[in-house]
Amino acid sequence: MMFTSPRGEQAGTLGRMDNYIQALKADFEELLGQFQRTDSVRYENFLPIWRNLDFPSLFYGKIVPNEMRIFCRLALATAYQYFLPPYTFQIRVGGLYLLYGLYHTQLASPKEKIRIALKDWEEVMKFQQDAANAQHYDVVYILRKLLSEKSFYFAAMPKQLNYQSKKKPLRNEVCEEFRERPQRVKDLISMDTLEEVMNVQQHYEKMKAAISATPGQLDSAINFIRKDLVSQLRSTMMEYHKLEEQQSRDTVPKSGDGDNAAGEGSSEQQEASKSRRHRQVEMDTSGSGTDPSQLVLFRKKKRPLSLKARTKKNLIDKVGTLKQEATEFTGPGMMEENSKGFLHLKWTMRTEKGGQEWCGMGAWWEIVVRSGCCVLRELKRSRSTAWEFSYKGAVQYDDNQCLC
Amino acid sequence: MAAAASGGGAGDGDRADAQENVPTYEWEDKNTKAFHVAAFGRLWREKLDPALYCYQDTEEDAEHAQLARELELSEETMEELRVICSPDSLTGGDVRTDVVPHDSSLKTVRLRKRKQDYKDSLRRDFPAKQDVFASELENLAIGRRPMDPELLVPEGEIILTVNVLYPVIFEAFKFCRHHMTLQVMGSQKLSELRDAICCVSDLQVYGEFSSTPDMAPEFISKDLYKSAFFFFEGVFYDDMRYPECTAISKSTIEWAKSHDFPTYRSAKMEETTFNDLVVKIGYPYLYCHQGDCEHVVIITDIRLAHRDDCLDKNLYPLLIYKHRMLTRKCSVCNLYISRWLTTDDHLAPMDPCLFCDMCFRTLHYDKEGNKLGHFLAYPYVDPGAFN
């Protein structure tokens, strides 16, 4: 007897649909990551990425019509998240293009619609207005085209809710790289607040003068405020703003005018290079399951690794090349110049696992440094656990003592 | 300050009312907070241009002209936009869509390929009956329009999707909840939903008939016990259409009052439409009939009507999914659907045992129609009767 799951919709040739959610998210983030790197919001830049990754093939295969609908619904619902805040403007544009692409290449007939929740409608309208103001006409055109083709369901929530209390709620993790940088300083100190602070300060001074011993003069004994508070605040804020802009100009070469025009488009692209280095590279679980241990891993997630896999993993850890895990080095590095004019930098490197030191063999490494010209020449092990390498040029540290 | 507060208060009242009718999650991914259905519909209709939810297809050229005017674009730019953003550029031409591409860079495709390869390696390869059944059912209703324009679902009408689950008794069946999914319009009464729910316990005939197998059952439970109620958000909606109906929720309300529960109200099912309800989406509610046959009812979705929906008023409440239940066949011939259930029967291989009509009569009665042996027989209604 074949039992179906509570939804009644999830059994069948494709198995449980939940597995697809993770895979879909990974694919969408790949697409959006590439789109983010183009630093533009033009549809013409989106199309080649779409075609290179062969996204229409998402829907290929011998799929029963009923399951095709469910899959299309799932794909559209997953893509819809990228169209809303807290993602940056560029990612939201990418999300819109993605929805457009999925809607038109889906193989369900009649086409599955995109669900818009009532609570998100304001955001969508604001998004359209921003795009129109920034003269991103292709964005507006595509959004209007979707609306006029009646490709939306105006619903209460972005997906159907069935009180699935048994399943662990899937934590909707916002991809950090796509997140908009919070405009906290700007929000805190706006022109209005500055004006108000100034008013309050003047009022306060007047009150103080009124009650002081010498009428009309501030009594020095009870004078606790800074006179130039407002102007100082203002100048600090301007400085911060300038620094931000400079940083963004340095990291991101502008690809063309009009692409990063007004407001939203401009300041959002910097986070990419800094955080990308520390991103973990995912284990590749591709292929048609030739490795039996890998296949087992996929099917039954809870089963512990086999002895073979564990040995392999530990061996590779101990001997051989550095695994690509996020590393950061702690402690102050020592810098000294040797006879050949090279600067030596010594420090200890620790992995994220805490305390486990790498002891790899000599390897060539190349690190491109933000400020431009530093190239790491040689990395070799020395004595205990200190890495030592030589390089030429200027090097900057940032706050976490990571090589910039 | 005081003036500002009171002025803000009046404005806030409207905004708060609007805010509380915007559905938001109460528990993430599980259910929303309660909101009024008609107010929700009104909010959507206020925010949207009627052209966005009407049923006619808009003229493409007219749309383009209007957009060009709004954005102040020239004709060439408009034309350029139309060419660049056309959906034809999304697909790569003629490709066989039933073959999963080999060596794709997309994780989803690789996952699908793995599953399909596994499935192909199995010996038996027929599509699950549930899926075939479900696809056919869906295709029946899509895009149906009525002949008579009077019967057209009005634009901007709200459609609710309701899941009705069946009472399941055994622990072993906890991951298999038979259910049916219906779509109802906001303007329909609750009683119409009640009539559309077909539960097999409505057809049961009570009584022991071993001595009188030929007496055709004169009544089925549906006709006898007509009372039923729905329970949404603290209000019991009773069916009071027929004189035989009693408000079976009364006892529950009285018990609740004496046991320190919040007070529940009661109302009439045939006077309440779905638009009047205050509900949570995704939250389980109750439908009870026959006195003790209880079904969990979940409203899974509320949205505005769409051009591609079924637009015929007469077809609502519309069935879009029904779990196909196994029909129990006779234990003797295994051909016909069982009609009789016998207990305490020495002639039967097990207790209780199912028989079809022919086998039952041939086994238990002789030529004159006398009862052979001792047994108890009850008419049996197969759960798959609605397939």
Side-chain angles (χ1 to χ4, degrees):
Chain A
M1 272 228 263
M2 207 178 74
F3 295 128
T4 56
S5 65
R7 265 250 180 84
E9 296 177 319
Q10 288 175 353
T13 47
L14 293 185
R16 300 197 65 80
M17 283 290 171
D18 303 338
N19 300 334
Y20 281 97
I21 299 181
Q22 293 296 336
L24 278 171
K25 271 193 134 169
D27 290 333
F28 293 158
E29 282 175 13
E30 173 66 39
L31 174 77
L32 290 174
Q34 288 191 15
F35 185 61
Q36 191 181 41
R37 285 192 280 268
T38 66
D39 290 327
S40 101
V41 291
R42 295 276 79 83
Y43 184 67
E44 298 122 337
N45 292 342
F46 178 81
L47 267 184
I49 310 176
W50 170 272
R51 275 198 286 250
N52 279 347
L53 287 172
D54 196 16
F55 255 77
S57 66
L58 270 181
F59 303 104
Y60 292 171
K62 277 185 289 224
I63 310 178
V64 179
N66 189 40
E67 286 178 2
M68 174 60 87
R69 305 197 134 271
I70 300 169
F71 179 71
C72 292
R73 234 174 272 160
L74 190 68
L76 288 171
T78 319
Y80 175 68
Q81 290 163 14
Y82 295 101
F83 182 43
L84 301 172
Y87 291 111
T88 69
F89 182 76
Q90 191 194 19
I91 294 296
R92 289 174 71 182
V93 171
L96 174 67
Y97 293 156
L98 178 63
L99 280 171
Y100 182 68
L102 287 174
Y103 180 76
H104 280 282
T105 53
Q106 63 175 308
L107 296 177
S109 148
K111 291 201 184 298
E112 274 301 315
K113 317 284 184 293
I114 307 168
R115 280 177 177 276
I116 284 202
L118 179 61
K119 58 183 166 80
D120 300 328
W121 182 249
E122 294 294 336
E123 303 283 347
V124 173
M125 284 291 105
K126 213 163 68 145
F127 172 82
Q128 187 181 320
Q129 196 53 45
D130 287 341
N133 292 344
Q135 299 185 333
H136 295 306
Y137 297 128
D138 46 3
V139 179
V140 182
Y141 179 81
I142 288 201
L143 183 54
R144 290 290 281 262
K145 193 160 194 298
L146 278 176
L147 281 169
S148 71
E149 283 171 354
K150 309 224 174 12
S151 51
F152 289 109
Y153 272 150
F154 300 108
M157 294 312 265
K159 57 179 181 170
Q160 304 212 358
L161 297 170
N162 216 344
Y163 205 70
Q164 301 276 356
S165 51
K166 300 247 169 63
K167 298 192 188 156
K168 258 185 274 182
L170 285 168
R171 281 184 54 233
N172 258 336
E173 299 187 359
V174 172
C175 178
E176 283 308 317
E177 290 179 7
F178 299 159
R179 195 192 267 269
E180 173 147 0
R181 178 193 267 206
Q183 308 266 348
R184 288 199 200 105
V185 176
K186 232 191 255 175
D187 286 341
L188 181 63
I189 316 268
S190 66
M191 283 319 288
D192 293 338
T193 39
L194 281 178
E195 253 187 66
E196 239 186 88
V197 170
M198 192 143 69
N199 284 339
V200 169
Q201 182 162 3
Q202 280 175 359
H203 198 68
Y204 180 70
E205 281 184 13
K206 268 194 224 134
M207 298 279 286
K208 285 278 267 306
I211 62 164
S212 74
T214 54
Q217 279 281 323
L218 272 176
D219 207 344
S220 53
I222 53 168
N223 195 9
F224 293 118
I225 54 169
R226 241 198 257 196
K227 290 222 172 175
D228 49 354
L229 173 68
V230 177
S231 50
Q232 266 202 347
L233 261 178
R234 189 123 152 273
S235 55
T236 323
M237 208 194 93
M238 288 304 196
E239 227 180 273
Y240 177 78
H241 194 63
K242 253 185 245 154
L243 192 63
E244 248 193 319
E245 301 234 316
Q246 183 159 38
Q247 274 187 349
S248 74
R249 240 176 276 133
D250 285 341
T251 50
V252 175
K254 296 246 195 283
S255 56
D257 51 324
D259 283 346
N260 299 329
E264 285 51 284
S266 55
S267 52
E268 321 321 340
Q269 287 106 1
Q270 311 85 310
E271 300 308 300
S273 52
K274 181 172 177 188
S275 43
R276 183 150 293 131
R277 271 186 305 111
H278 297 298
R279 176 168 65 163
Q280 293 192 2
V281 172
E282 292 143 359
M283 282 249 294
D284 194 25
T285 54
S286 64
S288 26
T290 43
D291 186 352
S293 64
Q294 271 199 329
L295 189 62
V296 163
L297 265 180
F298 187 89
R299 285 233 211 96
K300 296 174 188 173
K301 291 177 214 164
K302 300 265 168 68
R303 208 195 252 194
L305 289 178
S306 66
L307 181 59
K308 177 182 175 189
R310 270 183 282 139
T311 335
K312 204 165 152 190
K313 183 175 164 201
N314 285 336
L315 272 179
I316 292 179
D317 275 3
K318 295 260 156 55
V319 183
T321 55
L322 206 68
K323 265 185 85 169
Q324 288 159 321
E325 278 187 287
T327 57
E328 61 173 45
F329 66 90
T330 61
M334 287 190 302
M335 273 216 284
E336 55 188 1
E337 193 167 347
N338 75 353
S339 50
K340 294 185 202 158
F342 284 86
L343 278 171
H344 261 248
L345 181 70
K346 294 186 199 171
W347 73 94
T348 352
M349 207 172 333
R350 286 181 195 281
T351 69
E352 259 189 19
K353 287 193 188 144
Q356 189 181 345
E357 272 104 333
W358 292 109
C359 44
M361 303 188 242
W364 283 91
W365 280 98
E366 212 170 35
I367 300 176
V368 175
V369 177
R370 196 194 278 171
S371 55
C373 55
C374 172
V375 169
L376 175 61
R377 291 294 181 82
E378 190 185 314
L379 185 67
K380 55 186 176 189
R381 185 180 175 224
S382 106
R383 277 174 229 167
S384 52
T385 52
W387 285 105
E388 168 186 330
F389 59 74
S390 50
Y391 57 89
K392 202 166 186 184
V395 157
Q396 283 176 351
Y397 283 97
D398 72 2
D399 294 340
N400 299 333
Q401 300 238 349
C402 296
L403 253 193
C404 298
Chain B
M1 283 291 232
S6 62
D12 274 345
D14 284 338
R15 249 183 293 129
D17 180 55
Q19 269 311 102
E20 63 187 33
N21 280 317
V22 174
T24 48
Y25 279 121
E26 184 180 20
W27 298 105
E28 187 78 24
D29 269 354
K30 271 204 212 166
N31 63 289
T32 66
K33 299 201 182 104
F35 62 96
H36 190 244
V37 176
F40 160 76
R42 203 179 43 235
L43 280 173
W44 257 131
R45 286 191 286 271
E46 278 167 17
K47 296 192 185 197
L48 291 180
D49 186 1
L52 291 177
Y53 56 85
C54 78
Y55 299 147
Q56 267 78 37
D57 284 325
T58 45
E59 277 274 328
E60 212 183 313
D61 293 331
E63 273 288 317
H64 283 155
Q66 192 190 9
L67 191 60
R69 255 177 288 136
E70 275 178 38
L71 297 176
E72 291 160 19
L73 294 177
S74 66
E75 267 195 42
E76 299 94 52
T77 335
M78 205 61 215
E79 196 48 44
E80 213 184 301
L81 272 177
R82 192 205 284 236
V83 166
I84 296 175
C85 302
S86 121
D88 303 324
S89 49
L90 287 164
T91 47
D94 279 329
V95 192
R96 279 191 61 195
T97 56
D98 57 347
V99 176
V100 185
H102 208 63
D103 283 341
S104 169
S105 50
L106 296 174
K107 289 211 168 82
T108 321
V109 182
R110 289 206 288 265
L111 180 62
R112 180 173 304 136
K113 183 157 182 39
R114 186 191 286 130
K115 293 208 189 262
Q116 273 200 316
D117 287 345
Y118 171 69
K119 181 129 203 315
D120 288 339
S121 70
L122 297 177
R123 258 195 232 144
R124 283 182 297 173
D125 185 29
F126 45 84
K129 277 190 194 156
Q130 293 283 0
D131 296 326
V132 171
F133 193 64
S135 328
E136 281 181 23
L137 196 52
E138 271 186 28
N139 286 335
L140 275 180
I142 292 174
R144 291 275 290 270
R145 296 212 175 190
M147 306 297 288
D148 185 359
E150 289 287 304
L151 296 173
L152 193 69
V153 173
E155 291 170 7
E157 175 72 79
I158 298 176
I159 305 250
L160 297 93
T161 315
V162 179
N163 248 5
V164 181
L165 282 77
Y166 280 81
V168 169
I169 314 155
F170 314 110
E171 270 302 84
F173 284 74
K174 65 181 161 194
F175 55 92
C176 167
R177 287 277 156 87
H178 306 292
H179 70 282
M180 52 192 283
T181 309
L182 297 150
Q183 275 186 339
V184 283
M185 298 195 300
S187 53
Q188 284 190 308
K189 303 215 175 17
L190 293 181
S191 45
E192 293 177 57
L193 176 64
R194 190 244 158 137
D195 295 333
I197 297 178
C198 26
C199 171
V200 78
S201 62
D202 278 339
L203 304 173
Q204 298 282 8
V205 178
Y206 293 121
E208 207 271 306
F209 286 105
S210 55
S211 353
T212 53
D214 296 323
M215 169 144 65
E218 286 169 4
F219 48 84
I220 55 174
S221 308
K222 189 168 188 172
D223 301 327
L224 254 195
Y225 309 114
K226 291 213 179 78
S227 321
F229 68 81
F230 278 106
F231 176 71
F232 290 116
E233 284 297 306
V235 187
F236 287 89
Y237 298 95
D238 296 303
D239 192 355
M240 304 294 276
R241 287 176 287 175
Y242 308 102
E244 303 99 32
C245 297
T246 53
I248 45 183
S249 56
K250 219 187 281 178
S251 43
T252 322
I253 297 179
E254 281 165 11
W255 178 90
K257 252 188 248 172
S258 57
H259 279 79
D260 205 20
F261 272 77
T263 41
Y264 298 122
R265 293 184 291 123
S266 100
K268 289 208 186 156
M269 202 193 275
E270 59 273 14
E271 288 170 11
T272 330
T273 61
F274 279 97
N275 273 333
D276 302 329
L277 289 179
V278 174
V279 283
K280 298 183 185 175
I281 295 188
Y283 195 74
Y285 296 114
L286 192 68
Y287 166 60
C288 179
H289 65 136
Q290 302 281 325
D292 65 348
C293 183
E294 295 174 341
H295 301 255
V296 172
V297 169
I298 301 182
I299 301 185
T300 55
D301 175 41
I302 302 185
R303 59 174 172 82
L304 291 186
H306 191 272
R307 173 195 63 186
D308 288 341
D309 289 335
C310 169
L311 295 175
D312 191 347
K313 262 195 206 170
N314 277 348
L315 292 176
Y316 280 93
L318 182 69
L319 185 66
I320 39 178
Y321 177 83
K322 190 170 167 48
H323 189 96
R324 187 178 167 274
M325 292 195 242
L326 276 165
T327 53
R328 310 292 290 272
K329 303 242 178 51
C330 168
S331 32
V332 178
C333 57
N334 219 20
L335 283 175
Y336 295 108
I337 298 178
S338 40
R339 293 290 204 82
W340 292 95
L341 179 100
T342 52
T343 47
D344 211 17
D345 191 358
H346 297 284
L347 299 164
M350 53 204 164
D351 190 350
C353 191
L354 295 166
F355 293 98
C356 69
D357 208 37
M358 288 295 299
C359 299
F360 178 69
R361 287 175 200 277
T362 352
L363 183 61
H364 293 96
Y365 300 92
D366 61 15
K367 280 208 201 91
E368 281 84 47
N370 296 323
K371 184 168 156 181
L372 300 170
H374 165 75
F375 58 92
L376 300 164
Y378 305 95
Y380 177 76
V381 182
D382 177 60
F386 291 110
N387 283 353

